[in-house]
Amino acid sequence: MSEIAIGALIGNARVLLARRSSERRTHPDRWSLPGGHVEDGEDAETAMRRELLEEIGVTPQHWLLAGEFVSESPPGASATFHVYHVDRWQDSPRLIGDEHTALRWFTAAEIECETELAPPQLCEMLLNLLRPETNNQA
């Protein structure tokens, strides 16, 4: 099973999503978090940092593991996703290469209404990151 490391850049109660190119094999033309495959000999944190630099030109400076989930979508492309909450980074996000066609900041309300989010498990996780006050405090 593939391992994918993705970063949720969050600032001003918004999360940065990237629109996947129509040429992508999985989830074409869908909004997702920037990131990618964990390479051999690499851990998920290292992969997330490398992918954010390669895809959107930012260097994460502070992050926490937000959670992990397994996606079986689309069929035959199952993967374990490692999602990192990145709350500090260096440089401004910008499109690099052809993996994505757009970058956009989304509010929690916009995430709730977004029907083209991939993989679908991201919705609940992003809402929890954007609305931490709704989480139960121990």
Side-chain angles (χ1 to χ4, degrees):
M1 180 179 308
S2 294
E3 287 194 72
I4 308 291
I6 52 182
L9 274 66
I10 295 181
N12 299 319
R14 296 175 188 267
V15 61
L16 183 70
L17 296 182
R19 182 91 172 174
R20 294 171 63 83
S21 163
S22 60
E23 307 300 317
R24 302 300 301 269
R25 186 174 61 85
T26 56
H27 306 297
D29 288 323
R30 299 281 186 186
W31 289 104
S32 191
L33 293 173
H37 290 272
V38 177
E39 296 178 355
D40 288 340
E42 192 176 48
D43 62 27
E45 278 189 30
T46 302
M48 177 271 299
R49 293 191 327 264
R50 176 184 50 76
E51 288 284 349
L52 291 183
L53 184 59
E54 289 175 0
E55 291 187 5
I56 61 171
V58 301
T59 302
Q61 295 185 314
H62 185 263
W63 62 87
L64 295 170
L65 180 64
E68 298 174 343
F69 62 86
V70 173
S71 175
E72 302 289 340
S73 171
S78 63
T80 299
F81 284 78
H82 306 271
V83 182
Y84 291 90
H85 172 190
V86 180
D87 61 3
R88 268 198 324 269
W89 58 90
Q90 184 179 333
D91 297 319
S92 296
R94 64 191 187 283
L95 288 174
I96 296 176
D98 59 1
E99 291 190 33
H100 301 101
T101 58
L103 295 175
R104 188 176 136 210
W105 293 95
F106 284 76
T107 64
E110 290 168 325
I111 293 288
E112 285 179 327
C113 298
E114 183 53 59
T115 59
E116 296 183 347
L117 192 62
Q121 294 93 330
L122 277 180
C123 184
E124 184 178 344
M125 188 173 287
L126 292 176
L127 290 175
N128 286 337
L129 289 172
L130 289 169
R131 295 182 174 155
E133 69 280 357
T134 63
N135 294 339
N136 291 330
Q137 301 294 319

